[in-house]
Amino acid sequence: MPPTVVKSRPGHRCSECGFAATRWMGRCPECQAWGTLTEVGGGASGGLRAVTPGPVTGRARPIAQVELSGSRAVPTGIGEFDRVLGGGLVPGAVLLVAGEPGVGKSTLLLEVAHRVAEANGPTLVVSGEESAAQVRLRAERIGALHPQLFLAAETELSAVLSHIEEVNPSLLVLDSVQTVRSPAVDGTDGGATQVRAVASALTGIAKSRGMTVILVGHVTKDGAIAGPRALEHLVDVVISFDGERHSTLRMVRATKNRFGPADEIGCFEIGDGGVVGVPDPSHLFVSKRSVPVAGSSVTVTMEGSRPLLAEVQSLVATNAGGGSPRRAVSGLDPQRLAMINAVVERRGGVPLASADVFAASVGGVRILEPAADMAIALAIASAAKDKALPVGMVAFGEVSLSGEVRRVGGIGRRLAEAARQGYTLAVVPPDPGPVPRGLRVVEIPDLGSVLNRLF
């Protein structure tokens, strides 16, 4: 009887998320991307391949005996950046910093490299988008020249590795990962295969040498990080650098952090001297006026563990055109504003069905948490009735469809920040807990009662 021949068939893998499939499909069932499954080789279709025990990199030890001396965060000297990272840069960590073009990523990271060079020795900045002379000009402008700060302009991974061997830096900044290619991997420059190969190689070197690596990443027109989704899984920290093009305010957020909180925020202000941290940014989001105006309300938002005062402004105008009323939003969630409009009209008795409603935050800050519902509702009602809210008042609380005002997290810290900024009246959900000295608290169970009380 002739021996049985086991035919092998090629396997397929998604270039975006790494999903493996035995057959080709037009759409990846994992990440829903089209045309990303490519053939990666053949595999036996009959049974599993036997795996024998092999050598290990180190013996397994009780977790309490694992040393932590080489994994402590080292501060960079930039307080707002360290706040987002959870204390500083961890040796061997790989960070991915992404943001829109011109938002200030390269300027901030050049300042970070300068501070690290002053405190911890050699740092290496590799630019694949600019020449060394262009980066030198920026360094002179922000005062980031230092003999321990090394600079190179390369687009080949092998050349980057040679610079690492020569300089032996404690920090590597690669700007950007999409501009560097690996000659050992096929694929277009900046494609998913190339980006994954470059990031994997630098991650392995970072772990083996205890060197911190910061990768600058591009973003798509939708604001998502360009490249394969596996890139975000591969790195230890993912940081987004946001900011309006016409505003000097920049927000740094950690969307993933293996060494600290993933919801912290850092505030920076960009100017001629570079990117400067703003340790107390509440004054940037609140207007300074001597006379109160209708349609303005102040709330206290929580960004990570930091309470921030933010102002919400609204304008309600009569729809004289006879068409559908307009709803325009800037810095707020449009869907949530539509819900609050309906609650204010139905539960608060404020007619809005035939009026144009405009709402915006002050200073370019984005307010998305439900705790700002109360402030948005009060701003809309104040604009509709053309009556200003009391001076020195803050309001926060989640508003439900029934008009009930629900509790939110961090009430104690919100009240403490309002009192520190000089506010004297707070409209809050029931049972707020201890109240800071000098602050009068009004507990509101539902939206209708607060509107009746204020107007």
Side-chain angles (χ1 to χ4, degrees):
M1 182 177 180
T4 302
V5 178
V6 180
K7 296 183 179 180
S8 63
R9 56 182 177 182
H12 296 80
R13 186 176 299 275
C14 176
S15 60
E16 291 291 331
C17 65
F19 176 79
T22 57
R23 62 184 180 87
W24 183 87
M25 290 175 283
R27 188 176 188 179
C28 174
E30 182 70 20
C31 64
Q32 306 301 317
W34 289 92
T36 57
L37 265 69
T38 57
E39 185 177 323
V40 295
S45 60
L48 297 175
R49 181 178 298 177
V51 178
T52 59
V56 297
T57 56
R59 295 186 58 186
R61 293 177 292 172
I63 190 171
Q65 298 180 9
V66 177
E67 298 179 358
L68 293 176
S69 57
S71 300
R72 301 291 185 184
V74 179
T76 64
I78 302 176
E80 291 298 296
F81 195 63
D82 291 339
R83 181 189 187 95
V84 175
L85 296 177
L89 297 173
V90 176
V94 181
L95 291 74
L96 177 62
V97 180
E100 295 183 356
V103 77
K105 304 183 300 297
S106 301
T107 303
L108 174 62
L109 296 180
L110 186 60
E111 178 63 25
V112 170
H114 173 237
R115 297 290 185 91
V116 174
E118 288 182 332
N120 300 325
T123 60
L124 176 61
V125 176
V126 178
S127 176
E129 300 179 347
E130 300 176 280
S131 65
Q134 290 174 320
V135 180
R136 162 68 189 269
L137 288 175
R138 183 187 300 115
E140 286 186 348
R141 177 169 55 85
I142 65 176
L145 297 179
H146 194 273
Q148 292 296 316
L149 176 57
F150 293 84
L151 176 63
E154 300 289 353
T155 57
E156 290 285 339
L157 178 61
S158 56
V160 175
L161 300 182
S162 299
H163 286 300
I164 293 175
E165 290 292 335
E166 180 181 357
V167 178
N168 191 24
S170 60
L171 170 65
L172 168 67
V173 178
L174 181 62
D175 186 8
S176 65
V177 67
Q178 277 84 6
T179 60
V180 178
R181 68 180 310 276
S182 173
V185 178
D186 295 331
T188 59
D189 294 356
T193 306
Q194 284 287 343
V195 170
R196 187 186 300 110
V198 172
S200 299
L202 293 178
T203 299
I205 293 177
K207 304 301 181 184
S208 62
R209 302 174 70 100
M211 174 186 65
T212 306
V213 175
I214 300 179
L215 305 176
V216 178
H218 297 168
V219 295
T220 63
K221 62 180 180 181
D222 298 327
I225 299 177
R229 194 70 177 180
L231 179 61
E232 299 179 46
H233 294 283
L234 188 65
V235 300
D236 301 306
V237 182
V238 178
I239 295 175
S240 64
F241 203 94
D242 305 323
E244 296 290 338
R245 183 174 297 273
H246 304 291
S247 173
T248 60
L249 180 66
R250 299 292 183 266
M251 295 287 192
V252 178
R253 290 182 173 89
T255 58
K256 172 188 175 182
N257 193 352
R258 291 174 177 167
F259 312 111
D263 55 358
E264 285 291 353
I265 183 175
C267 297
F268 294 86
E269 199 166 10
I270 190 168
D272 295 337
V275 182
V276 181
V278 183
D280 190 11
S282 291
H283 67 281
L284 300 175
F285 312 136
V286 179
S287 299
K288 297 180 181 179
R289 60 174 68 94
S290 57
V291 179
V293 297
S296 176
S297 178
V298 178
T299 186
V300 185
T301 64
M302 292 294 298
E303 295 288 353
S305 61
R306 165 184 284 180
L308 296 176
L309 265 72
E311 182 179 349
V312 178
Q313 294 182 348
S314 178
L315 176 64
V316 177
T318 303
N319 183 12
S324 300
R326 296 183 59 192
R327 301 289 187 263
V329 179
S330 176
L332 305 173
D333 185 359
Q335 302 300 327
R336 197 152 194 92
L337 178 68
M339 184 196 74
I340 296 174
N341 272 336
V343 176
V344 171
E345 181 172 15
R346 181 67 178 86
R347 308 298 180 185
V350 181
L352 297 171
S354 59
D356 296 332
V357 179
F358 306 90
S361 60
V362 174
V365 64
R366 291 184 58 83
I367 306 175
L368 302 178
E369 66 165 343
D373 290 354
M374 174 66 73
I376 298 174
L378 293 181
I380 294 173
S382 172
K385 294 180 177 295
D386 198 22
K387 293 183 179 180
L389 296 172
V391 179
M393 188 193 81
V394 297
F396 54 84
E398 181 181 358
V399 178
S400 66
L401 292 177
S402 63
E404 177 190 1
V405 180
R406 297 175 178 173
R407 286 178 55 84
V408 294
I411 291 182
R413 281 178 288 179
R414 296 176 198 263
L415 293 176
E417 178 65 14
R420 188 181 72 86
Q421 296 289 344
Y423 288 82
T424 57
L425 175 62
V427 177
V428 299
D431 193 20
V435 178
R437 180 178 300 178
L439 185 66
R440 184 168 67 92
V441 170
V442 178
E443 301 179 28
I444 300 299
D446 59 83
L447 183 62
S449 62
V450 66
L451 295 183
N452 292 332
R453 187 165 183 170
L454 291 174
F455 305 109

